[in-house]
Each structure stands twice: as C-alpha cells, then as structure tokens.
Amino acid sequence: MDEDSFRTEMQKQREKARKDRLSRDISGWTADLFGALDASATEFLGYGTLEAEAKIVALSDGDELTDAVSTDDGAKEGVLVVLDRTAFYPEGGGQPADHGVLGGVAVTDVQERDGVVCHTCAGPLAVGSTVHGAIDWQRRFDHMQQHSGEHIVSGMLCSAFHCDNVGFHMGTDVVTIDYNADIRWEQVLEVEQQANRYIWEDHPCRVTFPS
C-alpha cells in the first residue's frame, strides 16, 4: 500500500469511528434508563483472570429495566446485563471491548459508564442469578499485542519528533494513531523498523495494574 492509499484508508477509519460514537450512548443504555439503574460500581477482575462467577444485578431489553428476559424475547440481540463483578474489559482507551460468553450466552459488546460495566448479550438471562463468564482470549490477546505495539511506536515517534499522541483507535483491520506533528512517510517506516527490531530483541518488561 502506498502513502496516498494509506492516508485514504486512515481517513475512512476515523470517519467510521466518529459515526459509531455518535450512533449510540456510551454505555448502550439511554440516559433515562441508565438514570433509573440502581447499581454499585462493577468490580473489575480482568487484569488477573479470564473468567469468573458473577451475580446479575440488572437487566434491560433496551427499552426498560426488567427482572428477566424470556427465551422468545431474548431471541433478538441486545439484552443489556450489569454484573456485580466481571472479567470483561469494556471499550476504552482506544481498545475495543472483550467478547465472550456469559451464562452460556454470547457477549457481543461491553461498555462502562460511571464505574458500572454493561454487557450486551445475545440471549435470555435473569436478575439475581449467578452466571459464569469467560472472555474470548484470542480476541483479548490480539488487542493486547496491538495496544502494546502502539505504545512502543508512540514512544519512539514522540521521542524522535518531540510530539504528542493525540488520538488512538484500534479498528478491526487497522490501528490509527494521531500526532500533533508533520512526520514524513519515510520517517514512519523507519520507526516501524525500529519498533519491530525492539520486539525481536525480546526485551524484558514489567506488567503492573492498579489495585
């Protein structure tokens, strides 16, 4: 792909991301519906485990809060589920949400608002029930690799050109990073080679997370 084609694809990805953000509420719940939700902040377990048991504390069929969604009602996608604890990483920081399975039902999106994590599920569940949740590890690991690569590239670019990373979006096929500096295509390719070399050298790293 040449530079012009690359920039055209980047612009398409940015426009798509903006449209996606405008087309839905940040959590998947309407403002009125979320305001009616009485739930404590969700305990996030995703830094230390890939699966966990959790209690369902709230459900919505997309129109109102409900205690349960029947098999017939749940045949459509879009059942919104709040748990007391979760291993599912919500979309944020440029990284897409985890997918996986919750109580035998597919999880297709995860969003967070005011500390409450909302899972979009594709089938019936009931408030008060305890369910087993497991994330799609291959998807999570792919996102981890891409996000780590973004940090390596950004560190090198910002150090070399005294600029800032002012935007980051991880799409299905393309990762976009915005910088507040004019950087030539040849310079980008040079940094790409440096980043790959750094990875191949297999440097040790320390992994930490907030407690």
Side-chain angles (χ1 to χ4, degrees), residues 26-37:
I26 187 64
S27 65
W29 300 61
T30 67
D32 291 342
L33 187 59
F34 195 88
L37 177 65

Side-chain angles (χ1 to χ4, degrees), residues 42-55:
T42 308
E43 180 185 1
F44 181 65
L45 309 173
Y47 291 127
T49 186
L50 306 178
E51 53 187 286
E53 302 288 323
K55 181 179 179 180

Side-chain angles (χ1 to χ4, degrees), residues 161-172:
F161 301 103
H162 307 289
C163 59
D164 301 302
N165 179 334
V166 296
F168 167 58
H169 176 73
M170 189 185 301
T172 303

Side-chain angles (χ1 to χ4, degrees), residues 187-198:
Q187 294 171 320
V188 172
L189 294 179
E190 182 178 345
V191 169
E192 179 187 39
Q193 292 179 350
Q194 292 174 359
N196 284 332
R197 188 180 308 115
Y198 188 85

